[in-house]
Amino acid sequence: MLQQEPICALATASGVGAIGVIRVSGEGTFEVVNQIFKGKDLRKVETHTLHFGTIRDGETIVDEVLVAVFKSPKSFTKEDTVEISCHGSDYIIRQILKLLVRSGARLAGPGEFTQRAFLNGQFDLVQAEAVADLIAADSAASHRTALNQLRGGFSKKLTSLREELIHFASMVELELDFGEEDVEFANRDDLKRLIISLQTAIAPLIESFDFGNALKEGVPVAIIGAPNVGKSTLLNALLNEEKAIVTAIAGTTRDVIEDVLYINGIKFRIIDTAGIRETEDIVESIGIERSKQTIEKADIVLALFDSQQTLSQIEPLAEDAKTIWVQNKTDLGAAFVEVKNDSLVRISAQKKEGIEELKKAITQRVYDEKKTDTVVTNLRHYEHLVKTQQALTDALNGLEMGITGDFLAQDIRVALHHLGEITGQIVNDDLLANIFSKFCIGK
């Protein structure tokens, strides 16, 4: 296990609070903290214990604190670690950090604690990145996804795929050592079946990226329709607040209005758009053009209408694949109108009738997009999965063409390389620096 110099940082959010937690980790941590902590000798206490005492600058008491002790390898970083819980004064925190540095620690860089945990084998790179996702999670869905990755759900799937491929790669490599004897250790039909099986397993992971990214950032939902069909009223009804101005004047909404809505733990970005119609008003025209751009970017489109006439104005813009048709003003006796698919939900935005049914339809559309239990949310993972898939395709094409073992081995090596880069089995310093630079300093 790698032992490094002690580092320290504030692990809680900066700013005044009830308490602050300062984390110290590395070789010599107990000696460093003992110099400023007056209580028990931290070298002699049991791991996973709490101790009350004072932090002192010479004879001057800086604060009364609780110190948590975690001895190697039973800590987050697998190093000797101390967490000092002090009062959350900026002054006190600064003083303690200054004393720690003066005693032999140095200030940690972004994500350095998690990086040390990775380097010491606490978890793989996917799980390390999931730590940042878990901290940033702002919905139940993104929290579940990050927690699944932190617990190794994605990693286990990738490791299983990689181990199967390594077996055949070793057989092909062995053939190269006996090149002059024309032997075949790797059965080509079995290898072909394995590659097809791997591609079948990887394809839904690649496809899940859009779904996973939407869960992470919020699923964009655009409300479109002709002027005065009730788009702004629907936005207000969904959000349960007066977010958008509602009048009887056509063209009131001239730009997109966006807000966040959580339904069943999923984060949605609800976007009200300008009413779509022919107009000579320059400002309204710009709003309508932005509405059309919003439709293209949205994952779900709520196509709102109140009659056959208003339906015909938006039908050409709404794609069936991502459209939920919504007929409004049912409280005014709106006649039932046939739509292209069976996704019709009838509501009264004014009376807030049918809103819960609409929310269910929106969440169901999200779950219909889910192709696998393991969801890819990280662009780096997505890119390496795409490259793995391409290398497997090249290997499969090579098998069909009957290429020699050295070329086949090269394609398999490329696939193994990209799978290994995802989990950190193949890693370089620049990659680690880039990944952990995006973490907060205390993590």
Side-chain angles (χ1 to χ4, degrees):
M1 186 180 68
L2 185 65
Q3 283 280 1
Q4 300 187 67
E5 62 185 326
I7 54 174
C8 62
L10 177 66
T12 47
S14 59
V16 178
I19 63 168
V21 176
I22 296 171
R23 178 178 288 160
V24 190
S25 181
E27 187 175 7
T29 285
F30 302 137
E31 289 78 6
V32 167
V33 179
N34 271 343
Q35 292 180 53
I36 65 171
F37 175 68
K38 298 305 176 185
K40 290 187 177 179
D41 184 342
L42 301 181
R43 295 169 299 182
K44 299 178 180 178
V45 302
E46 295 294 319
T47 186
H48 290 70
T49 53
L50 279 174
H51 306 279
F52 175 77
T54 57
I55 297 293
R56 301 195 182 198
D57 182 0
E59 293 302 316
T60 303
I61 295 176
V62 176
D63 197 16
E64 294 183 338
V65 299
L66 275 178
V67 170
V69 174
F70 306 93
K71 294 195 172 181
S72 173
K74 297 179 179 180
S75 72
F76 176 71
T77 59
K78 287 200 168 184
E79 301 173 325
D80 289 337
T81 300
V82 166
E83 291 184 354
I84 304 169
S85 296
C86 61
H87 290 93
S89 153
D90 280 342
Y91 171 77
I92 290 173
I93 291 166
R94 283 199 309 272
Q95 289 299 107
I96 294 175
L97 287 172
K98 186 169 73 173
L99 290 170
L100 287 169
V101 170
R102 202 165 72 193
S103 299
R106 68 166 173 81
L107 294 176
E112 191 167 359
F113 293 99
T114 309
Q115 183 172 348
R116 287 190 176 191
F118 163 71
L119 291 173
N120 287 328
Q122 182 75 288
F123 38 59
D124 65 27
L125 201 53
V126 170
Q127 292 170 295
E129 289 169 295
V131 171
D133 288 342
L134 192 62
I135 293 170
D138 61 357
S139 70
S142 57
H143 170 264
R144 281 194 302 269
T145 301
L147 197 58
N148 178 55
Q149 293 192 358
L150 182 61
R151 289 176 172 175
F154 184 34
S155 301
K156 288 174 185 173
K157 186 178 285 288
L158 291 181
T159 300
S160 174
L161 295 174
R162 195 167 185 268
E163 285 175 353
E164 290 183 75
L165 197 55
I166 284 174
H167 170 70
F168 270 95
S170 62
M171 293 297 100
V172 174
E173 297 281 358
L174 189 60
E175 290 177 9
L176 301 180
D177 293 337
F178 293 87
E180 296 180 0
E181 300 181 28
D182 193 28
V183 292
E184 187 177 282
F185 294 106
N187 183 284
R188 296 308 190 253
D189 289 334
D190 288 344
L191 179 56
K192 188 183 297 184
R193 280 192 290 272
L194 173 62
I195 291 174
I196 292 172
S197 173
L198 292 175
Q199 288 191 310
T200 302
I202 290 172
L205 293 175
I206 293 173
E207 291 174 15
S208 76
F209 176 70
D210 287 340
F211 172 80
N213 197 51
L215 286 184
K216 194 173 176 180
E217 304 297 332
V219 181
V221 180
I223 305 173
I224 70 167
N228 267 4
V229 295
K231 297 184 300 301
S232 297
T233 306
L234 175 56
L235 175 71
N236 292 341
L238 287 169
L239 299 175
N240 202 29
E241 64 172 291
E242 299 301 311
K243 179 74 175 181
I245 298 171
V246 178
T247 75
I249 303 170
T252 300
T253 302
R254 296 189 170 206
D255 202 351
V256 295
I257 300 173
E258 181 177 333
D259 209 337
V260 172
L261 174 67
Y262 293 90
I263 310 174
N264 293 341
I266 301 174
K267 179 181 178 181
F268 293 92
R269 293 188 289 112
I270 310 294
I271 309 161
D272 181 21
T273 63
I276 297 169
R277 65 171 178 172
E278 295 295 328
T279 179
E280 295 182 0
D281 186 300
I282 296 176
V283 177
E284 189 179 354
S285 296
I286 294 172
I288 292 170
E289 184 55 37
R290 288 183 180 178
S291 296
K292 293 176 180 178
Q293 293 171 2
T294 301
I295 293 168
E296 293 177 5
K297 295 176 182 178
D299 287 348
I300 299 173
V301 173
L302 303 183
L304 191 66
F305 65 96
D306 59 11
S307 65
Q308 184 62 57
Q309 180 182 359
T310 56
L311 172 64
S312 64
Q313 289 179 257
I314 59 170
E315 270 188 312
L317 295 174
E319 300 175 22
D320 276 349
K322 60 182 181 180
T323 298
I324 298 174
W325 298 94
V326 185
Q327 186 174 12
N328 193 22
K329 304 184 182 179
T330 55
D331 58 313
L332 301 179
F336 182 84
V337 176
E338 293 284 347
V339 294
K340 290 181 179 178
N341 58 35
D342 59 359
S343 68
L344 178 65
V345 179
R346 301 186 82 226
I347 68 165
S348 168
Q350 182 70 42
K351 300 286 187 181
K352 295 186 179 180
E353 296 173 355
I355 299 301
E356 290 305 313
E357 287 75 8
L358 180 56
K359 287 181 179 180
K360 289 177 183 176
I362 293 170
T363 53
Q364 187 58 50
R365 186 59 61 91
V366 171
Y367 287 118
D368 286 346
E369 289 295 312
K370 190 175 180 182
K371 304 290 196 308
T372 176
D373 290 334
T374 303
V375 178
V376 176
T377 60
N378 187 301
L379 180 59
R380 187 182 74 83
H381 304 166
Y382 171 77
E383 289 175 340
H384 283 297
L385 284 170
V386 169
K387 290 175 180 177
T388 299
Q389 195 77 314
Q390 183 57 57
L392 292 174
T393 298
D394 291 342
L396 197 58
N397 291 338
L399 285 170
E400 296 290 343
M401 296 167 58
I403 62 172
T404 57
D406 52 347
F407 287 108
L408 183 59
Q410 177 60 27
D411 290 331
I412 295 175
R413 283 191 211 108
V414 171
L416 287 171
H417 173 84
H418 288 297
L419 285 175
E421 283 233 355
I422 296 174
T423 57
Q425 289 158 304
I426 297 171
V427 72
N428 59 63
D429 291 341
D430 289 340
L431 173 64
L432 291 182
N434 180 56
I435 289 173
F436 291 105
S437 68
K438 299 169 186 173
F439 282 55
C440 54
I441 288 178
K443 196 61 182 174

